[in-house]
Amino acid sequence: MFLASNCNNPSPGSPPQPGKAWWKEAVVYQIYPRSFQDSNGDGVGDLQGILQRLDYIKSLGVDVVWLNPIYQSPNDDNGYDISDYRAIMPEMGTMEDFDALLAGMHQRGIKLVMDLVVNHCSDEHEWFKQSRSSRDNPYRDYFHWWPAEKGAPPKRWSFFDEEENAWRFDSTTNAYYLHYFSRKQPDLNWENPKVRQEVYDLMKFWLDKGVDGFRMDVIPFISKDTAFPPLPAEYNGNFVAYYAKGPRLHEYLQEMNREVLSRYDVMTVGEGAGVSIEDALLYVDENRGELQTFFQFDIAGWGRRADNFLLPDPHNRRLPDLKAIFTKWDKVFENKGWGTVYLGNHDQSRMVSRYGNDAPPYRETSAKMLHTLLLTQRATPYIYYGDELGMTNIRFTDIADYRDLQTINTYNRLKQEGGNLQEFMEGQAEVSRDNGRTPMQWNAGTNAGFTSVTPWIKVNPNLTIINTEAQEKDPNSVLHYFRRMIQLRKAEPALVYGKYELIDAENPEVYSYTRSLDGKDFLVALSFSTEGGRTIIPDGFKAGEIRINNLEKSPVQGGAIVLEPYQAVVLELHKQ
Ligand code: TEU
Ligand code: CA
């Protein structure tokens, strides 16, 4: 790994050149701690459990682990509702466990990125308890309050509220508080400089302990128009444009960078909900001093309905569209900033079920194909726990199996309104967040080796065929392929930094592109189809060595690449 600075110093007049950096070369492994490994038999994953699995994590070849929130929390939203930013929630363990985990990672050369959730906290946080107690409490302005004597506040929509209302009436002080997420997640008022100082202080608390960076939850939401004007007619459900990306957003991010981030060698990734290619560089242009990277949401939107992201859309699944999204985002960061790439996380269903094909004949091949994609983009790849095995959607059909408040609250609302519950349940079976939260499948034993008791959420019954123990023994497993793919990325700087060029844009079955750096060229060819597909070696090149192939058969046929269903290859190219 290079340990270079974030950017080269360009000579005056020349455009800034993006430099090399450890966080650009890193492969990140995301762990949802509740679901990784239970160490004390209460059915919930915990920090000691992760500690026990560090050698496994190291064996993957990843450089960084991102942990979803482990702070003190009543767990209305599984830790995204924090009641003490400087304490560990008892279910996860103690601060000593945390220190041991961080030390264990650092000993193995693995960095740790924490989740920073500061658009909102829990209603059980001391700040909110104080704030709601009286109108003249010193913490009153830590949150957004609308006094009831002004009448009902202008409509604001909430992600998780059972009534979809982001204003909640609180009788103690006869006022409404704002919560873009659940009622138990009141939004912090960033206009208040004391709030910002609190955030910077808690960030320093963790950075001084040695953590290596932050993933920043819904970061574009921290600034809003606090006059809360009525929504204009053209609002049309455009949440982010009217509720987030407020007037002081970049001022806050620059302040955070100045006060905290610039003083440490750490990595940052914002959750870029609603960030578009037009405003992308405002966040990550090196010269602006804000963030390094963010997660874009366009790939996650593919396959979903534009008017309702809780429903899948079988008509929105054209491969050329998916290719176009990757390609347009690559272009954004061609000269400035840097991208990220992910195909699954704790808010999404499983990668192989969603972008690949989890039917038995294709599951392993398509999971390998998707890893080939993730690890050959010009962006920092994030791999979600279990995806290294090709874990699949569980597809719950009974509402009683769901644990996620998003599914449960929406279900309750639809039920009350007499909405289309069947459509909703069928949709959730495909896209619910709980699909991505089932326990890690370690072995074919009871509860997949995740816990000795009933787990907090059901284990996928396919644990008998998909588990690490079986895949360790099988040299052709998804797990071993994933490790080889990481090694290939690390061996070839072109796969990290090289120029990306889409070829064959309209090909409906194959996604293929070249990556080129310093005279070295690679062709990546990926079949997304049960029909396989064909593509071509670009003009001026001939096939060199196949560096990785997820099937036995070579797809090279002269100047053509003829792929089996879901076949993936990385081929070295030679100039003709
Ligand atoms: O997610 C924010 C966000 O955009 C989600 O609400 C997303 O739209 C939804 O999950 C898609 O199904 C972040 C966290 O990643 C999520 O887990 C939290 O629930 C949310 O913020 C609130 O903190
Ligand atoms: Ca436990």
Side-chain angles (χ1 to χ4, degrees):
M1 295 241 287
F2 301 83
L3 263 173
S5 63
N6 295 359
C7 59
N8 300 334
N9 290 328
S11 53
S14 72
Q17 289 297 310
K20 291 178 171 172
W22 63 264
W23 47 268
K24 296 182 180 177
E25 297 169 22
V27 176
V28 186
Y29 185 64
Q30 181 193 348
I31 293 181
Y32 197 63
R34 295 186 84 72
S35 302
F36 198 62
Q37 178 69 66
D38 175 21
S39 73
N40 62 344
D42 65 354
V44 178
D46 46 53
L47 299 182
Q48 281 291 339
I50 301 172
L51 193 64
Q52 289 168 11
R53 296 295 186 179
L54 282 185
D55 288 335
Y56 169 77
I57 297 166
K58 177 70 188 169
S59 80
L60 298 175
V62 300
D63 308 285
V64 177
V65 166
W66 154 31
L67 282 188
N68 290 101
I70 55 170
Y71 315 96
Q72 182 89 264
S73 165
N75 283 310
D76 189 47
D77 185 19
N78 289 357
Y80 281 94
D81 47 321
I82 297 168
S83 53
D84 184 346
Y85 287 95
R86 288 180 172 79
I88 304 293
M89 74 168 88
E91 281 175 306
M92 291 296 146
T94 63
M95 194 57 92
E96 288 69 48
D97 295 333
F98 176 81
D99 293 339
L101 181 61
L102 182 62
M105 287 188 181
H106 284 172
Q107 272 159 22
R108 290 168 179 82
I110 300 169
K111 292 179 188 281
L112 175 61
V113 165
M114 300 281 278
D115 220 305
L116 182 73
V117 189
V118 288
N119 171 68
H120 46 269
C121 61
S122 164
D123 67 339
E124 297 182 33
H125 194 292
E126 190 57 30
W127 299 333
F128 192 71
K129 288 190 196 162
Q130 293 285 335
S131 183
R132 85 191 320 176
S133 68
S134 78
R135 287 195 182 187
D136 54 13
N137 186 280
Y139 288 90
R140 187 65 170 181
D141 290 340
Y142 271 45
F143 297 89
H144 300 283
W145 289 98
W146 182 276
E149 63 271 16
K150 281 171 67 179
K155 169 116 190 93
R156 288 295 181 273
W157 183 87
S158 155
F159 275 94
F160 301 151
D161 189 77
E162 276 170 58
E163 286 152 19
E164 295 192 317
N165 186 354
W167 291 106
R168 177 80 180 158
F169 181 68
D170 198 43
S171 60
T172 319
T173 57
N174 192 38
Y176 299 82
Y177 66 85
L178 185 75
H179 63 91
Y180 279 175
F181 294 89
S182 91
R183 295 169 189 181
K184 288 183 67 62
Q185 295 170 296
D187 282 47
L188 284 159
N189 177 13
W190 277 66
E191 298 283 303
N192 183 347
K194 286 192 196 145
V195 167
R196 304 204 297 276
Q197 204 50 57
E198 298 266 18
V199 171
Y200 306 151
D201 287 349
L202 73 90
M203 290 173 75
K204 287 183 202 154
F205 172 83
W206 291 100
L207 293 171
D208 290 339
K209 267 187 171 293
V211 312
D212 303 288
F214 291 110
R215 173 269 184 188
M216 302 185 186
D217 197 55
V218 288
I219 203 69
F221 292 37
I222 59 175
S223 170
K224 29 241 210 248
D225 182 348
T226 51
F228 298 110
L231 294 172
E234 58 280 14
Y235 161 61
N236 196 23
N238 191 346
F239 188 91
V240 176
Y242 290 94
Y243 295 13
K245 298 206 270 196
R248 298 181 66 189
L249 174 59
H250 295 288
E251 176 195 330
Y252 296 159
L253 290 176
Q254 284 169 18
E255 184 183 74
M256 179 196 276
N257 187 293
R258 220 170 33 242
E259 299 275 323
V260 187
L261 298 170
S262 61
R263 304 180 186 187
Y264 300 84
D265 179 24
V266 292
M267 68 184 274
T268 53
V269 54
E271 192 199 16
V275 178
S276 64
I277 52 169
E278 288 77 24
D279 57 5
L281 289 175
L282 294 176
Y283 297 78
V284 298
D285 176 344
E286 295 83 351
N287 300 324
R288 289 173 55 84
E290 297 194 14
L291 301 178
Q292 292 164 340
T293 57
F294 61 83
F295 296 129
Q296 48 95 348
F297 271 59
D298 291 348
I299 297 289
W302 184 86
R304 300 260 191 125
R305 258 170 54 177
D307 61 335
N308 184 348
F309 68 95
L310 293 181
L311 293 176
D313 181 357
H315 306 294
N316 177 20
R317 289 183 60 83
R318 290 183 63 248
L319 183 62
D321 295 342
L322 189 69
K323 297 192 263 187
I325 299 171
F326 279 111
T327 306
K328 92 179 175 191
W329 278 100
D330 178 83
K331 190 91 191 144
V332 172
F333 304 121
E334 200 155 31
N335 299 310
K336 286 177 176 181
W338 186 254
T340 61
V341 55
Y342 67 96
L343 292 173
N345 64 32
H346 65 293
D347 290 336
Q348 307 292 334
S349 48
R350 281 286 168 186
M351 157 181 112
V352 69
S353 303
R354 191 158 178 210
Y355 302 97
N357 187 331
D358 64 12
Y362 308 117
R363 177 173 42 77
E364 292 182 71
T365 312
S366 69
K368 293 172 188 170
M369 182 276 288
L370 294 172
H371 284 308
T372 317
L373 164 60
L374 282 167
L375 291 159
T376 55
Q377 292 280 320
R378 193 176 71 106
T380 301
Y382 284 72
I383 283 78
Y384 189 51
Y385 86 93
D387 281 349
E388 76 273 28
L389 309 177
M391 274 174 59
T392 66
N393 282 355
I394 191 161
R395 301 192 172 93
F396 290 135
T397 53
D398 185 347
I399 188 68
D401 286 331
Y402 282 99
R403 297 290 175 268
D404 181 13
L405 85 172
Q406 180 165 63
T407 304
I408 296 169
N409 289 354
T410 308
Y411 180 91
N412 290 340
R413 180 176 55 78
L414 285 173
K415 195 167 173 187
Q416 202 157 29
E417 289 172 355
N420 191 341
L421 276 180
Q422 193 192 336
E423 177 190 55
F424 177 69
M425 288 299 282
E426 282 168 13
Q428 287 294 284
E430 285 308 320
V431 307
S432 76
R433 308 199 296 182
D434 281 340
N435 275 311
R437 297 178 178 184
T438 63
M440 177 69 175
Q441 293 166 207
W442 296 106
N443 58 48
T446 320
N447 295 319
F450 164 70
T451 183
S452 53
V453 299
T454 308
W456 73 277
I457 189 170
K458 279 187 176 164
V459 182
N460 197 312
N462 64 20
L463 67 102
T464 48
I465 39 171
I466 305 174
N467 64 71
T468 51
E469 209 173 272
Q471 296 202 15
E472 289 287 6
K473 288 181 201 142
D474 173 6
N476 286 320
S477 63
V478 182
L479 177 61
H480 284 298
Y481 184 89
F482 174 65
R483 289 180 175 135
R484 285 203 296 276
M485 198 52 239
I486 290 187
Q487 293 321 314
L488 179 58
R489 182 176 179 89
K490 295 207 171 291
E492 293 296 347
L495 297 180
V496 178
Y497 292 112
K499 187 178 165 58
Y500 160 102
E501 222 161 339
L502 177 67
I503 50 183
D504 218 359
E506 287 307 316
N507 189 322
E509 290 167 338
V510 180
Y511 179 16
S512 55
Y513 47 95
T514 53
R515 299 297 313 279
S516 310
L517 185 74
D518 298 336
K520 218 161 179 188
D521 301 276
F522 295 89
L523 174 72
V524 180
L526 312 165
S527 159
F528 271 77
S529 166
T530 53
E531 305 298 314
R534 283 170 89 99
T535 186
I536 42 153
I537 293 177
D539 278 351
F541 290 102
K542 62 179 193 298
E545 191 191 343
I546 295 178
R547 296 296 296 274
I548 201 160
N549 182 354
N550 67 349
L551 292 173
E552 290 283 305
K553 195 172 155 191
S554 167
V556 181
Q557 294 185 12
I561 304 289
V562 183
L563 299 164
E564 300 281 307
Y566 299 103
Q567 190 167 17
V569 285
V570 178
L571 179 70
E572 229 172 286
L573 296 177
H574 295 310
K575 300 227 161 52
Q576 243 173 356

